[in-house]
Structures are given as structure tokens and as C-alpha cells.
């Protein structure tokens, strides 16, 4: 399985060198190789073992993304709560939990820091060893409403048609309607008819039950695109009528 599920355009060698010169740090070779494929994005694996229990569980912790150059964090609001010597570069964040490179020595180790519980763990002696230790284990779908959206993004990237529908139905009342409509729009733009079909179903549910929470211009643009593509014209005409009534 590839490291990346989905990501942004590659980072140029020039931008990587410029980042290192600006911050006077050298990123691990493997990190730079990954950035040359995608400048940050979703990972294909999502767990790594830990030596003691964390807020994720007894034996492992979670990771969903790898930061691009612009997302790498060194100055974070919570850092005064944990006195860490040297410099740290964090490449993943989930709430108050961070995973990063610890530059106490020339060759950085990978650390897990939970700024809520004030827990710090060394999880690998090198970035290469950390990436080699990652493994995939599916997240329980029924708990989706409690997950951060970036975790859901990783689940959707791996989901088949049935699971995609299940996940997005569980999130129908998601507060971030911009995010939700973007996922629906992505399904409608799929080249596979089953994904388009569930996109229409989910859009219908949003218009019927959550229309007051929806951005008018966004829904109108989606409907106009559907009409231009002649996708299920009778159903789309029904949605248009319901939306304008």
C-alpha cells in the first residue's frame, strides 16, 4: 500500500531547500522524498504502536495526515504547557495531540505529545522508522459523528459505495455544511454512477431537511451543474422545485 491516499501537488526541491534555510533545520530524507510526491495529504495507514496508554487507547495512537511545508508547526499555543528541550517540528495534529520531529539531537526522533494530558512519548528513533511502523486498522463507522473531519476524510478515501453512504448519512446534521456539500459535490463529479447516485440521494436529504443551514449559492451551483450534465433529469427537476419553493 502506498504511503499516500491523496495529496496536494508535489513540493519543489527549491521550496524544500528554502524551508530548511529559513528555519535552519534539515528535514529527514524520507520526509523530503514524500513531499516531492505530495506536499501534504491523507495517509493510507492510520495507527502506530505506543509504549504506554494514550488518550487514543491502550496500545496504539492514530494519524490521518502528513503536513506539507506550509503546515509544519513549530510555534504552537500549547507548547508552554510541556517543557521540551530543543526544537520540535509537528507534522500532525488532532486537537491537543501532536506528532512531530524532536530535534534534541542532529537526527530527529519522532514524538507524540498530548498537551491536554501533558503526556510526551518517543514513538520512533527516526522518521523512517516511524513511517515503517505505521499500519492500517479500520475505524468503527458507528462513531463517525464524534470524529474530527480529517479522520472522516481518511475513512471516505478508503470507503466503498455502501460505506461512503453510511458515513455521510451519519453526518447529515454536520455543522460544517460547507465541508458536507463539498463531499456531496465530489460524489456527483465521480465518473462512477453508483457514487453519483448516492450524491443525489444525500443532496436530496440536505435540501429536504437542512435547507436553512445550506449556502444558497453553493446548492444553486450544484443544481446548475447537474442540469448541465443531464444526470437523472427528472430527479434533479424535483430537487430544483423543492429548493426554489
Amino acid at each position: 500500500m502506498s504511503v499516500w491516499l491523496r495529496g496536494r501537488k508535489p513540493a519543489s526541491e527549491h521550496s524544500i531547500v528554502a524551508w530548511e534555510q529559513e528555519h535552519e533545520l534539515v528535514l529527514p530524507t524520507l520526509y523530503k522524498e514524500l513531499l516531492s510526491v505530495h506536499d501534504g495529504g491523507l495517509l493510507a495507514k492510520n495507527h502506530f504502536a505506543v509504549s504506554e496508554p494514550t488518550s487514543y487507547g491502550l496500545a496504539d495512537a492514530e494519524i490521518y495526515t502528513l503536513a506539507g511545508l506550509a503546515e509544519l508547526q513549530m510555534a504552537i499555543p500549547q507548547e508552554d504547557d510541556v517543557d521540551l528541550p530543543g526544537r520540535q517540528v509537528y507534522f500532525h495534529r488532532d486537537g491537543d495531540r501532536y506528532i512531530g520531529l524532536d530535534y534534541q539531537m542532529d537526527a530527529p526522533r519522532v514524538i507524540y505529545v498530548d498537551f491536554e494530558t501533558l503526556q510526551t512519548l518517543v514513538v520512533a528513533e527516526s522518521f523512517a522508522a516511524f513511517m515503517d511502523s505505521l499500519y492500517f486498522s479500520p475505524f468503527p463507522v458507528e462513531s463517525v459523528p464524534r470524529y474530527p473531519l480529517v479522520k472522516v476524510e481518511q475513512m471516505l478515501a478508503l470507503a466503498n459505495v455502501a460505506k461512503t453512504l453510511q458515513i455521510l448519512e451519519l453526518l447529515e446534521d454536520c455543522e460544517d455544511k460547507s465541508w458536507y456539500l463539498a463531499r456531496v459535490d465530489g460524489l456527483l463529479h465521480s465518473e462512477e454512477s453508483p457514487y453519483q447516485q448516492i450524491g443525489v440521494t444525500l443532496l436530496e436529504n440536505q435540501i429536504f431537511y437542512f435547507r436553512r443551514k445550506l449556502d444558497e449559492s453553493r446548492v444553486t451551483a450544484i443544481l446548475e451543474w447537474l442540469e448541465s450534465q443531464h444526470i437523472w433529469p427528472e430527479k434533479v427537476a424535483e430537487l430544483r422545485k423543492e429548493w426554489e419553493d
Side-chain angles (χ1 to χ4, degrees):
M1 181 182 287
S2 171
V3 169
W4 294 112
L5 268 179
R6 185 173 70 235
R8 291 181 287 276
K9 294 180 179 180
S12 67
E13 182 178 356
H14 172 76
S15 62
I16 294 172
V17 171
W19 187 95
E20 292 181 318
Q21 290 177 343
E22 177 185 355
H23 298 285
E24 299 182 336
L25 289 172
V26 177
L27 292 170
T29 299
L30 177 58
Y31 206 122
K32 292 188 281 190
E33 291 174 357
L34 294 175
L35 291 174
S36 69
V37 178
H38 290 298
D39 189 15
L42 292 173
L43 293 171
K45 299 179 181 179
N46 55 13
H47 287 86
F48 58 95
V50 289
S51 58
E52 61 184 66
T54 69
S55 56
Y56 286 112
L58 297 176
D60 56 26
E62 300 174 6
I63 184 170
Y64 327 118
T65 61
L66 199 65
L69 288 172
E71 300 165 319
L72 290 169
Q73 293 183 271
M74 286 174 285
I76 58 176
Q78 303 96 322
E79 63 186 348
D80 291 339
D81 297 332
V82 177
D83 185 18
L84 293 174
R87 300 175 69 186
Q88 290 74 41
V89 179
Y90 296 104
F91 55 78
H92 179 80
R93 179 187 179 185
D94 179 9
D96 289 320
R97 296 170 289 203
Y98 290 77
I99 306 167
L101 301 166
D102 180 27
Y103 282 85
Q104 290 188 51
M105 295 174 287
D106 290 338
R109 302 179 299 179
V110 176
I111 57 172
Y112 163 89
V113 185
D114 187 330
F115 287 100
E116 182 174 354
T117 62
L118 305 183
Q119 180 185 32
T120 302
L121 296 174
V122 175
V123 295
E125 292 299 323
S126 69
F127 180 74
F130 174 72
M131 294 303 296
D132 191 51
S133 73
L134 297 183
Y135 64 93
F136 174 77
S137 181
F139 298 121
V141 174
E142 61 272 14
S143 300
V144 155
R146 300 198 300 270
Y147 293 161
L149 292 180
V150 66
K151 183 173 179 175
V152 177
E153 288 273 13
Q154 189 191 55
M155 295 176 70
L156 287 170
L158 291 163
N160 59 20
V161 174
K163 186 164 285 188
T164 297
L165 178 60
Q166 183 183 7
I167 290 170
L168 290 175
E169 283 184 332
L170 286 168
L171 290 173
E172 282 184 334
D173 199 19
C174 173
E175 291 184 5
D176 190 342
K177 288 301 181 185
S178 177
W179 176 89
Y180 195 90
L181 288 176
R183 304 290 79 71
V184 171
D185 200 28
L187 293 172
L188 295 172
H189 280 75
S190 172
E191 296 180 358
E192 299 181 48
S193 178
Y195 286 102
Q196 292 179 333
Q197 187 169 357
I198 65 172
V200 170
T201 298
L202 293 166
L203 178 62
E204 179 179 27
N205 291 344
Q206 289 297 301
I207 290 175
F208 275 39
Y209 301 112
F210 305 102
R211 61 177 302 154
R212 292 183 180 179
K213 298 181 179 181
L214 303 179
D215 179 79
E216 181 177 352
S217 61
R218 187 65 179 272
V219 175
T220 299
I222 292 174
L223 290 172
E224 288 176 351
W225 183 85
L226 286 168
E227 290 164 342
S228 72
Q229 300 299 305
H230 306 289
I231 297 175
W232 292 290
E234 292 183 3
K235 171 59 71 175
V236 173
E238 291 177 11
L239 294 181
R240 168 69 77 176
K241 184 176 185 302
E242 179 65 28
W243 177 246
E244 293 181 347
D245 282 348

